Amino acid sequence: MDYARPIMWNVPHWAEIALYAMIPLVLIAFFAGVVWRVRKWSIGQAEPGTLAPGGQLLRALAPLRLAELVKTILFQSRLAGDGFSIVMHQAIFWGMVVLFLGTALATIDQDVAHLVFDAQVLRGGFYRFFELALDVFGIALIVGVGMAAYRRYVVRPKRLEATRAGISLWDGFPFLAVLFLIAVTGFVAEGLRLAEGFHIESQAAVAATRGPEARRASLERMGLRERLRMGAERQEAELDRIARGEPVFPAAAWAPVGFALAKVFHPLSVGSIRALHQVTWWLHALLAFGLIVAVPLTKAFHLISSPANMLLRNPAPAGRLPVVAESGVDTVRDLAWRQLVQLDACTWCGKCQEACPGHNIGFPLSPRDLVQAIGAELLRTPVRANGQTRSLHGEVVRPEQLWACCTCRACEEVCPVQIQHPRLVVDLRRRLVDQGQVDEGLQEALMNLQRYGNSFGQSPRKRADWTKPLDFKLKDARKEEVEYLWFVGDYASYDQRAQEVTRALAKVLHAAGVDVGVLFEKEQNAGNDVRRTGEEGLFSMLREKNLKELANARFRKLLTSDPHTYNTLKNEYPSVGDPPNGDDPLAGKPVLHYAELLDELLRQGKLPLARPVDRTITYHDPCYLGRFNGVYEAPRRVLRALGVELVEMPRHGPDSFCCGAGGGRIWMKDTPGIDERPAENRVREALRLPGVECLVVACPKDLVMFQDAVKTVGAEARLRVADLAELVNEAIATSSEPSTLVETSHDRTG
Amino acid sequence: MNLVVVVRQVPDLIEPLEVSASGTALDYETASFVVNETDDHALEQALLLKESGGGTVTVVALDYGEVDNTLYTAAAKGADRIVKIARADDTPPSPAASAAAYAQAIQPLGPELVLVGIQAHDELDGVVPPLLAARLGMPYVGVIRGVKRGPEPGAVSVCKEFPGAVMARLSVRLPAVLGILGAEQPPRYVPVSRIRAAMKTAKFDEVAGAAPPPASRVEVCRLYPPPSGARAEMLSGTESELAARIAEILAEKGLLK
């Protein structure tokens, strides 16, 4: 039996016209809001070496990237790891999507199918399915909103606490309340509509006791014909159907929530039901319109800005820091347009803050608050520069926030909408450096780097002194051709404890017959951390000097000890541009961290492992090896091959917790008043693992930081800090040679 | 205020210093040069004075060592004018010759205040600042930690350090020469990009060196590294043995009763 959804039931004609008249106004307000937000992005700077926004958009629409975005949105996949959050977002997102599409479909049914063709899509089985779907997703929306409210107002995780600088008053509770009320008014209107149907049916049923004709007459008397807004032929058919005793709303039972509510409302009089229905219907419509208008003005804008940000994100490697202005960022106008999109994309979810080592140990830094404060400043800044734009330094962002960042990228890694917080920090730091405002310890390191090419303030001639105790000679890559040019790095060259590791690696490479050489005193600090302190000029100088030496050397591959060095050599030393510079000394030359080389040697069977290393260990992923460059498995494969028992810390792989050395923090003074140092936090995490006797690192800075932290937490006897290279050397060392892991208790120098 | 700062180059102590073949001077061939630390403070103090109430800062230096780097850095920090005094060879002259050369270059500048580091570590007795003051015919106050404007026009208020950490605040009528031990705040950091910009834009006024002054009455007879003593006693043994031995030594020296 065919039947269709009654259209605009109980809605007076004037109300229908008013509703439709409002739609263009709502759309105008919505698009005006969107344009207002998007125009703010235009005050940002172009990024040298990248496409203009238009070109970015075209490239972003390439099928692969679009598919990735669609996947991210449909499955909210960037929230992976937080089940509650995924369910909540999916419920609200899909609830709203289906309800919106349902409403749109009903509108099309009315305005196109019905008015133009006198036919309806919402009929029969599809109509039933439609009713069921809308009820189910309406419930989903309420559940999602309930979950969000539960998390915000009952669980109250720190990361969701109110920000210091909110971008709008119309957020949080009002937003959730509106979503909730839209769902509730929708259900109530449905319930009231169905309840009136019950009344009509029971009146008709009373009349029907006097015969089928009386039932039909009673329906006519109730004005049902006029209330069924459809062509005369279809009206007739519908009346016939209802006169046969079928329900007025034949899919009523397929809308379980509305049906249940109808039972509740049934005792009310028909007049009350009809009046209440009209009020609720209006409420529902106005709330929905209000929501649409509010989208660009509130947190809901992330429906637009977050996907826009993901589409327009820079596809360059995470380890390549973009530079728009060497002298850094003073006002929001100095930021790149892409960064402005990122500010708008933030949803205040606070996951960055939860992951931030600085925030975790009591530094005055929250990546979320930083983004929020600058985002709020963006909204306050007029598109046209009339007069002075306020400096971000001072009231908006304080220097101590900026210096607290380890540039470990944990925030960026967890950000569901791919905001690059460390880039923002470095841009702002550049300004401080330009103005000469640097921490005392940092100033000393930077002056040493300017003058001597190392942060230790040691003579450049002593850079290769670590090689002296070796009983073989390392090749001089300046004089003879080598397969691997080993760029050792500052800490691995000058720090007394790290030197032991550097020598252990040299022995391993020697034993494996690797053709390797170094630049001796011609090597200078590669500048990875210099760049991240904001001293861009010094980074450029160091890069030029090193590239000049590298251009004079003959080698096929670059090998590094320090993941920081690795990152910048791999991502920031090769000339960027299209086409790449022909005389780039690094063109076509792979850069390897020694963990990768050891892994390769292992695979080729070139590591003469003589005895298994019988230890229970845990491994710390260095930020610049793991999160920045995705090298997680190579060191683990080497460790497993050694025969150690590897126990993972809760925070490992991409969730690794920074030792606190990155971004130049290793040179800065300790911040007074902190709860604990990041390295101490990390050492305590390792100490909580049962049976673990050794914390294995693959970064000289980690070695230095954790060696200190093991002492300051008083765990020297329980936990040894050792480098991957030392374990390998132990496994290949001939019995005559003492293990490099005999008690080592040198203090950190420099 | 018309401020003049004298900036000297000294051998960098991160490299081991060698005595020249003559046995009476350093081997400057093997040394690398760096700005004299107290002169860096003098420059910082001059810049602070300029920033607190206007004026010009002129930096005066003798041309040897890596003076250009130092001067570009000074320009990047905010020095308005740079005077470089030509020099026949690439070594620091004697204190008397230095003072004569600085005085000849500074006199025409008509300075109100000359700031110079209290001592350069390759210099005898820290005599350059007072010699310079004498040649300029200006009063000299040394061992200064911090200079402020005032209290009255034509004077500055200086903080002078005396032995035993006694500090005095003096009012010095201008013009004067001040021997600076430390500026009010540590020398500022100047980023490499600004130094590089200064290399492109900064101009040096090059002036001729002074006629050599009469020979100094002080002569260096021999320069030699301090002989290493052989009196260190290396302790060995268990922790408790070591502790006992240390206590014994302290008691021997009368530090423990």
Side-chain angles (χ1 to χ4, degrees):
Chain A
M1 185 49 63
D2 193 27
Y3 49 81
R5 182 173 188 266
I7 288 154
M8 291 285 180
W9 177 265
N10 193 37
V11 177
H13 208 60
W14 66 265
E16 193 181 341
I17 291 171
L19 181 83
Y20 279 102
M22 285 173 76
I23 289 178
L25 298 180
V26 166
L27 289 179
I28 287 169
F30 169 78
F31 282 111
V34 171
V35 167
W36 175 69
R37 292 293 290 256
V38 172
R39 276 191 71 207
K40 297 272 185 188
W41 301 344
S42 71
I43 69 173
Q45 303 295 311
E47 283 181 314
T50 64
L51 295 169
Q56 300 263 347
L57 201 60
L58 279 181
R59 191 187 46 192
L61 294 176
L64 205 69
R65 256 181 120 179
L66 207 57
E68 193 194 319
L69 180 75
V70 170
K71 198 183 103 192
T72 308
I73 293 174
L74 293 194
F75 303 108
Q76 305 275 312
S77 53
R78 296 272 313 171
L79 296 172
D82 183 353
F84 188 94
S85 195
I86 291 181
V87 171
M88 178 198 95
H89 276 88
Q90 293 278 32
I92 296 179
F93 177 75
W94 285 110
M96 280 310 286
V97 165
V98 170
L99 292 183
F100 180 79
L101 289 178
T103 309
L105 184 62
T107 309
I108 292 169
D109 207 37
Q110 156 78 8
D111 299 331
V112 184
H114 166 62
L115 286 181
V116 183
F117 304 108
D118 189 22
Q120 280 186 257
V121 186
L122 289 171
R123 55 196 307 133
F126 184 64
Y127 173 32
R128 285 183 183 174
F129 169 74
F130 173 87
E131 290 291 315
L132 181 63
L134 260 63
D135 264 34
V136 166
F137 282 90
I139 288 294
L141 176 61
I142 288 176
V143 168
V145 169
M147 287 173 80
Y150 171 76
R151 200 168 234 197
R152 270 162 189 72
Y153 308 116
V154 182
V155 180
R156 289 171 179 264
K158 267 209 157 76
R159 64 179 180 89
L160 291 173
E161 272 174 15
T163 50
R164 196 165 45 81
I167 56 163
S168 159
L169 297 170
W170 218 75
D171 189 75
F173 186 75
F175 183 67
L176 292 176
V178 166
L179 288 179
F180 177 73
L181 287 176
I182 286 176
V184 168
T185 51
F187 279 130
V188 170
E190 182 176 55
L192 288 164
R193 182 167 54 84
L194 299 183
E196 197 197 345
F198 295 165
H199 275 285
I200 295 169
E201 285 155 19
S202 51
Q203 275 197 41
V206 171
T209 54
R210 289 178 274 120
E213 289 307 313
R215 187 202 287 262
R216 176 70 190 240
S218 133
L219 291 174
E220 295 280 3
R221 265 200 314 282
M222 283 187 268
L224 194 59
R225 180 183 294 274
E226 291 73 40
R227 298 189 67 193
L228 292 168
R229 297 208 199 149
M230 44 190 72
E233 206 174 305
R234 288 177 53 217
Q235 270 176 355
E236 198 62 36
E238 272 293 276
L239 278 174
D240 284 347
R241 188 182 64 73
I242 298 167
R244 280 195 299 274
E246 285 183 26
V248 178
F249 301 104
W254 288 84
V257 180
F259 195 76
L261 285 173
K263 295 276 183 211
V264 174
F265 298 135
H266 195 187
L268 296 174
S269 72
V270 175
S272 311
I273 288 176
R274 289 177 69 162
L276 274 175
H277 176 259
Q278 285 188 9
V279 170
T280 321
W281 182 89
W282 265 117
L283 216 53
H284 183 72
L286 292 177
L287 282 168
F289 284 167
L291 182 74
I292 293 171
V293 172
V295 161
L297 311 176
T298 64
K299 180 174 181 170
F301 188 59
H302 87 268
L303 289 170
I304 295 165
S305 57
S306 301
N309 182 46
M310 288 188 234
L311 265 182
L312 294 172
R313 76 170 200 280
N314 190 349
R320 186 184 301 150
L321 200 61
V323 190
V324 171
E326 252 196 32
S327 56
V329 163
D330 185 30
T331 73
V332 280
R333 291 183 198 281
D334 300 328
L335 290 165
W337 62 267
R338 190 195 307 286
Q339 291 173 292
L340 303 184
V341 182
Q342 292 184 2
L343 296 175
D344 267 356
C346 176
T347 67
W348 336 18
C349 76
K351 285 184 188 292
C352 49
Q353 177 179 307
E354 247 177 5
C356 175
H359 188 83
N360 268 285
I361 57 142
F363 279 161
L365 172 66
S366 154
R368 178 198 70 175
D369 288 354
L370 186 78
V371 169
Q372 281 297 309
I374 303 171
E377 196 61 21
L378 172 65
L379 292 191
R380 276 196 286 273
T381 306
V383 172
R384 279 200 192 83
N386 48 355
Q388 288 262 307
T389 308
R390 184 162 75 140
S391 170
L392 291 171
H393 296 279
E395 272 179 55
V396 183
V397 182
R398 287 166 295 127
E400 58 269 31
Q401 289 175 283
L402 299 174
W403 295 124
C405 175
C406 307
T407 68
C408 75
R409 230 188 132 265
C411 47
E412 192 177 330
E413 183 77 25
V414 296
C415 179
V417 296
Q418 302 176 336
I419 296 171
Q420 297 170 292
H421 317 71
R423 174 181 179 186
L424 208 53
V425 168
V426 174
D427 273 338
L428 288 159
R429 280 180 174 182
R430 284 189 187 125
R431 183 70 181 182
L432 294 181
V433 171
D434 184 65
Q435 303 295 307
Q437 295 174 41
V438 293
D439 167 280
E440 209 180 305
L442 179 58
Q443 173 163 354
E444 194 187 329
L446 293 177
M447 301 211 340
N448 284 335
L449 285 156
Q450 274 192 24
R451 184 160 173 82
Y452 309 118
N454 69 72
S455 61
F456 289 77
Q458 295 254 10
S459 166
R461 290 176 206 167
K462 292 185 180 159
R463 184 171 272 271
D465 279 6
W466 64 268
T467 58
K468 285 182 182 163
L470 293 175
D471 52 15
F472 53 90
K473 279 256 172 287
L474 268 174
K475 278 189 178 178
D476 187 338
R478 297 167 299 176
K479 294 180 183 144
E480 53 188 317
E481 186 168 354
V482 289
E483 184 179 3
Y484 288 96
L485 191 154
W486 184 4
F487 202 103
V488 184
D490 272 17
Y491 270 80
S493 297
Y494 285 108
D495 181 85
Q496 212 180 331
R497 171 69 181 99
Q499 284 180 350
E500 295 170 13
V501 174
T502 314
R503 280 192 289 271
L505 179 59
K507 288 176 196 165
V508 170
L509 298 178
H510 186 68
V514 176
D515 178 23
V516 61
V518 297
L519 288 173
F520 291 88
E521 69 267 23
K522 286 297 181 188
E523 179 190 304
Q524 298 213 359
N525 183 296
N528 187 72
D529 303 297
V530 171
R531 184 170 225 197
R532 280 150 186 86
T533 64
E535 223 310 16
E536 186 65 18
L538 179 54
F539 168 73
S540 304
M541 189 176 95
L542 293 168
R543 179 176 176 270
E544 281 165 29
K545 287 184 178 174
N546 283 319
L547 279 177
K548 198 171 140 232
E549 291 306 322
L550 290 171
N552 290 334
R554 281 174 302 145
F555 62 99
R556 289 205 293 282
K557 296 170 199 168
L558 264 175
L559 174 68
T560 63
S561 274
D562 193 322
H564 298 243
T565 308
Y566 171 73
N567 181 67
T568 195
L569 288 182
K570 184 172 178 166
N571 298 311
E572 299 179 324
Y573 268 50
S575 53
V576 182
D578 214 10
N581 195 347
D583 50 15
D584 183 350
L586 297 184
K589 295 188 172 142
V591 181
L592 282 90
H593 182 258
Y594 69 82
E596 293 176 293
L597 175 59
L598 293 176
D599 182 39
E600 205 175 296
L601 293 172
L602 195 70
R603 208 170 35 242
Q604 294 165 348
K606 287 185 184 163
L607 270 190
L609 299 181
R611 53 181 182 211
V613 179
D614 183 22
R615 286 171 201 276
T616 305
I617 60 118
T618 188
Y619 171 71
H620 166 82
D621 285 284
C623 307
Y624 279 88
L625 192 60
R627 266 194 299 270
F628 277 88
N629 290 291
V631 180
Y632 299 114
E633 280 312 307
R636 286 180 170 79
R637 275 194 295 267
V638 175
L639 284 169
R640 279 192 288 266
L642 297 181
V644 300
E645 175 160 0
L646 172 62
V647 182
E648 294 286 6
M649 285 183 272
R651 296 174 293 188
H652 64 273
D655 298 330
S656 181
F657 191 77
C658 178
C659 74
R665 280 221 55 92
I666 199 165
W667 302 319
M668 296 177 210
K669 294 216 173 339
D670 268 341
T671 311
I674 56 169
D675 308 333
E676 63 178 343
R677 298 192 193 122
E680 291 166 352
N681 182 300
R682 187 59 158 167
V683 161
R684 291 198 173 100
E685 184 178 1
L687 284 168
R688 282 193 291 271
L689 298 177
V692 165
E693 55 194 303
C694 185
L695 171 58
V696 176
V697 298
C699 168
K701 292 188 181 82
D702 281 330
L703 187 79
V704 169
M705 298 300 280
F706 291 142
Q707 193 96 32
D708 261 11
V710 164
K711 285 177 196 165
T712 51
V713 306
E716 268 181 292
R718 283 176 55 206
L719 189 71
R720 191 197 311 285
V721 181
D723 192 279
L724 177 64
E726 291 179 296
L727 292 191
V728 175
N729 189 41
E730 192 184 356
I732 64 172
T734 53
S735 49
S736 63
E737 196 175 328
S739 161
T740 53
L741 278 183
V742 289
E743 202 55 53
T744 48
S745 57
H746 296 284
D747 277 347
R748 171 185 165 196
T749 56
Chain B
M1 193 185 286
N2 185 356
L3 299 149
V4 169
V5 181
V6 171
V7 170
R8 287 162 288 184
Q9 296 280 299
V10 290
D12 191 342
L13 300 180
I14 69 150
E15 305 288 359
L17 295 179
E18 312 262 333
V19 176
S20 72
S22 70
T24 60
L26 286 176
D27 179 6
Y28 287 108
E29 291 289 304
T30 59
S32 63
F33 285 89
V34 65
V35 65
N36 179 38
E37 195 182 343
T38 53
D39 290 342
D40 208 19
H41 277 266
L43 173 60
E44 181 63 33
Q45 186 60 68
L47 293 169
L48 291 173
L49 283 170
K50 175 186 154 186
E51 284 159 8
S52 72
T56 56
V57 173
T58 305
V59 171
V60 176
L62 277 159
D63 188 4
Y64 63 86
E66 293 163 34
V67 72
D68 283 4
N69 279 340
T70 301
L71 294 178
Y72 285 127
T73 304
K77 283 181 176 181
D80 303 282
R81 189 176 165 196
I82 285 166
V83 176
K84 193 163 82 169
I85 308 167
R87 179 148 175 78
D89 65 28
D90 199 26
T91 56
S94 72
S98 296
Y102 293 134
Q104 185 179 314
I106 291 171
Q107 198 86 58
L109 301 173
E112 291 168 86
L113 189 61
V114 178
L115 298 103
V116 52
I118 184 72
Q119 189 169 16
H121 63 60
D122 63 340
E123 188 180 279
L124 283 172
D125 296 335
V127 292
V128 167
L131 281 178
L132 173 60
R135 283 193 170 261
L136 290 172
M138 291 183 190
Y140 170 73
V141 192
V143 204
I144 304 298
R145 282 188 177 277
V147 184
K148 285 192 191 315
R149 284 169 183 270
E152 69 241 30
V156 287
S157 166
V158 302
C159 204
K160 180 173 166 69
E161 186 177 319
F162 289 95
V166 176
M167 304 290 272
R169 187 157 278 287
L170 310 176
S171 177
V172 180
R173 260 192 301 283
L174 303 180
V177 176
L178 299 180
I180 301 291
L181 182 62
E184 285 168 288
Q185 62 186 52
R188 63 196 63 191
Y189 182 72
V190 58
V192 168
S193 56
R194 287 192 180 241
I195 299 174
R196 284 188 161 185
M199 285 178 175
K200 293 198 185 96
T201 55
K203 295 270 180 294
F204 300 158
D205 293 343
E206 309 215 10
V207 299
S216 169
R217 295 188 197 166
V218 180
E219 201 183 325
V220 177
C221 305
R222 185 184 159 216
L223 192 70
Y224 57 96
S228 52
R231 285 177 299 190
E233 180 190 351
M234 298 307 290
L235 304 182
S236 61
T238 66
E239 280 169 18
S240 48
E241 282 167 12
L242 287 172
R245 179 72 191 118
I246 291 169
E248 206 177 291
I249 295 170
L250 292 176
E252 275 169 29
K253 306 280 178 200
L255 294 164
L256 272 184
K257 284 180 185 155

mmCIF file of all heavy atoms in Angstrom, chain B residues 113-130:
data_model
loop_
_atom_site.group_PDB
_atom_site.id
_atom_site.type_symbol
_atom_site.label_atom_id
_atom_site.label_comp_id
_atom_site.label_asym_id
_atom_site.label_seq_id
_atom_site.Cartn_x
_atom_site.Cartn_y
_atom_site.Cartn_z
ATOM 1 N N LEU B 113 82.424 61.860 27.230
ATOM 2 C CA LEU B 113 82.737 60.737 28.120
ATOM 3 C C LEU B 113 83.429 59.654 27.289
ATOM 4 O O LEU B 113 82.928 59.261 26.233
ATOM 5 C CB LEU B 113 81.441 60.191 28.734
ATOM 6 C CG LEU B 113 81.590 59.148 29.845
ATOM 7 C CD1 LEU B 113 82.357 59.735 31.033
ATOM 8 C CD2 LEU B 113 80.219 58.659 30.302
ATOM 9 N N VAL B 114 84.592 59.207 27.787
ATOM 10 C CA VAL B 114 85.305 58.108 27.135
ATOM 11 C C VAL B 114 85.208 56.891 28.042
ATOM 12 O O VAL B 114 85.543 56.963 29.230
ATOM 13 C CB VAL B 114 86.792 58.470 26.888
ATOM 14 C CG1 VAL B 114 87.518 57.285 26.247
ATOM 15 C CG2 VAL B 114 86.891 59.704 25.999
ATOM 16 N N LEU B 115 84.719 55.779 27.510
ATOM 17 C CA LEU B 115 84.619 54.550 28.305
ATOM 18 C C LEU B 115 85.591 53.523 27.741
ATOM 19 O O LEU B 115 85.621 53.299 26.521
ATOM 20 C CB LEU B 115 83.190 53.990 28.272
ATOM 21 C CG LEU B 115 82.110 54.902 28.855
ATOM 22 C CD1 LEU B 115 81.317 55.555 27.744
ATOM 23 C CD2 LEU B 115 81.223 54.153 29.808
ATOM 24 N N VAL B 116 86.350 52.923 28.632
ATOM 25 C CA VAL B 116 87.327 51.933 28.190
ATOM 26 C C VAL B 116 87.395 50.839 29.260
ATOM 27 O O VAL B 116 87.253 51.119 30.453
ATOM 28 C CB VAL B 116 88.703 52.607 27.911
ATOM 29 C CG1 VAL B 116 89.145 53.439 29.083
ATOM 30 C CG2 VAL B 116 89.760 51.586 27.552
ATOM 31 N N GLY B 117 87.559 49.605 28.812
ATOM 32 C CA GLY B 117 87.627 48.495 29.767
ATOM 33 C C GLY B 117 88.780 48.687 30.718
ATOM 34 O O GLY B 117 89.842 49.196 30.326
ATOM 35 N N ILE B 118 88.603 48.307 31.969
ATOM 36 C CA ILE B 118 89.597 48.601 32.998
ATOM 37 C C ILE B 118 90.944 47.960 32.681
ATOM 38 O O ILE B 118 91.989 48.491 32.993
ATOM 39 C CB ILE B 118 89.071 48.171 34.400
ATOM 40 C CG1 ILE B 118 90.030 48.553 35.517
ATOM 41 C CG2 ILE B 118 88.781 46.698 34.451
ATOM 42 C CD1 ILE B 118 90.058 50.016 35.781
ATOM 43 N N GLN B 119 90.907 46.805 32.012
ATOM 44 C CA GLN B 119 92.164 46.139 31.679
ATOM 45 C C GLN B 119 91.965 45.168 30.526
ATOM 46 O O GLN B 119 90.886 44.623 30.353
ATOM 47 C CB GLN B 119 92.692 45.361 32.899
ATOM 48 C CG GLN B 119 94.089 44.826 32.670
ATOM 49 C CD GLN B 119 94.731 44.298 33.938
ATOM 50 O OE1 GLN B 119 94.052 44.067 34.928
ATOM 51 N NE2 GLN B 119 96.033 44.135 33.908
ATOM 52 N N ALA B 120 93.040 44.984 29.787
ATOM 53 C CA ALA B 120 93.032 43.926 28.776
ATOM 54 C C ALA B 120 93.967 42.845 29.303
ATOM 55 O O ALA B 120 95.001 43.175 29.906
ATOM 56 C CB ALA B 120 93.526 44.462 27.445
ATOM 57 N N HIS B 121 93.622 41.575 29.114
ATOM 58 C CA HIS B 121 94.396 40.551 29.827
ATOM 59 C C HIS B 121 95.780 40.298 29.245
ATOM 60 O O HIS B 121 96.564 39.553 29.799
ATOM 61 C CB HIS B 121 93.582 39.272 30.042
ATOM 62 C CG HIS B 121 93.164 38.568 28.788
ATOM 63 N ND1 HIS B 121 94.058 38.100 27.885
ATOM 64 C CD2 HIS B 121 91.952 38.227 28.309
ATOM 65 C CE1 HIS B 121 93.413 37.511 26.900
ATOM 66 N NE2 HIS B 121 92.127 37.588 27.125
ATOM 67 N N ASP B 122 96.111 40.962 28.146
ATOM 68 C CA ASP B 122 97.487 40.816 27.639
ATOM 69 C C ASP B 122 98.295 42.083 27.902
ATOM 70 O O ASP B 122 99.297 42.346 27.269
ATOM 71 C CB ASP B 122 97.477 40.497 26.137
ATOM 72 C CG ASP B 122 96.877 41.633 25.324
ATOM 73 O OD1 ASP B 122 96.151 42.464 25.910
ATOM 74 O OD2 ASP B 122 97.142 41.679 24.104
ATOM 75 N N GLU B 123 97.852 42.877 28.876
ATOM 76 C CA GLU B 123 98.401 44.208 29.054
ATOM 77 C C GLU B 123 99.023 44.324 30.446
ATOM 78 O O GLU B 123 98.491 43.753 31.394
ATOM 79 C CB GLU B 123 97.218 45.164 28.924
ATOM 80 C CG GLU B 123 97.528 46.596 28.886
ATOM 81 C CD GLU B 123 96.199 47.345 28.756
ATOM 82 O OE1 GLU B 123 95.681 47.436 27.645
ATOM 83 O OE2 GLU B 123 95.680 47.789 29.780
ATOM 84 N N LEU B 124 100.104 45.066 30.561
ATOM 85 C CA LEU B 124 100.766 45.255 31.856
ATOM 86 C C LEU B 124 99.973 46.225 32.719
ATOM 87 O O LEU B 124 99.719 47.344 32.306
ATOM 88 C CB LEU B 124 102.163 45.830 31.641
ATOM 89 C CG LEU B 124 103.253 44.872 31.165
ATOM 90 C CD1 LEU B 124 104.492 45.675 30.823
ATOM 91 C CD2 LEU B 124 103.543 43.844 32.234
ATOM 92 N N ASP B 125 99.578 45.796 33.887
ATOM 93 C CA ASP B 125 99.077 46.710 34.925
ATOM 94 C C ASP B 125 97.847 47.540 34.591
ATOM 95 O O ASP B 125 97.509 48.442 35.331
ATOM 96 C CB ASP B 125 100.182 47.694 35.346
ATOM 97 C CG ASP B 125 101.338 46.944 35.993
ATOM 98 O OD1 ASP B 125 101.062 45.845 36.514
ATOM 99 O OD2 ASP B 125 102.463 47.440 35.942
ATOM 100 N N GLY B 126 97.219 47.317 33.506
ATOM 101 C CA GLY B 126 96.020 48.101 33.206
ATOM 102 C C GLY B 126 96.303 49.583 33.091
ATOM 103 O O GLY B 126 95.594 50.417 33.665
ATOM 104 N N VAL B 127 97.346 49.923 32.357
ATOM 105 C CA VAL B 127 97.747 51.331 32.317
ATOM 106 C C VAL B 127 97.124 52.112 31.169
ATOM 107 O O VAL B 127 97.203 53.332 31.140
ATOM 108 C CB VAL B 127 99.289 51.485 32.247
ATOM 109 C CG1 VAL B 127 99.904 51.035 33.558
ATOM 110 C CG2 VAL B 127 99.849 50.701 31.077
ATOM 111 N N VAL B 128 96.519 51.427 30.217
ATOM 112 C CA VAL B 128 96.022 52.162 29.045
ATOM 113 C C VAL B 128 94.978 53.206 29.421
ATOM 114 O O VAL B 128 95.094 54.371 29.003
ATOM 115 C CB VAL B 128 95.507 51.194 27.954
ATOM 116 C CG1 VAL B 128 94.724 51.948 26.894
ATOM 117 C CG2 VAL B 128 96.662 50.436 27.331
ATOM 118 N N PRO B 129 93.961 52.871 30.231
ATOM 119 C CA PRO B 129 92.944 53.913 30.514
ATOM 120 C C PRO B 129 93.518 55.167 31.174
ATOM 121 O O PRO B 129 93.261 56.272 30.671
ATOM 122 C CB PRO B 129 91.941 53.182 31.418
ATOM 123 C CG PRO B 129 92.135 51.730 31.102
ATOM 124 C CD PRO B 129 93.582 51.571 30.780
ATOM 125 N N PRO B 130 94.326 55.031 32.241
ATOM 126 C CA PRO B 130 94.859 56.286 32.813
ATOM 127 C C PRO B 130 95.808 57.013 31.858
ATOM 128 O O PRO B 130 95.782 58.251 31.801
ATOM 129 C CB PRO B 130 95.595 55.827 34.076
ATOM 130 C CG PRO B 130 95.706 54.350 34.003
ATOM 131 C CD PRO B 130 94.625 53.869 33.100
#
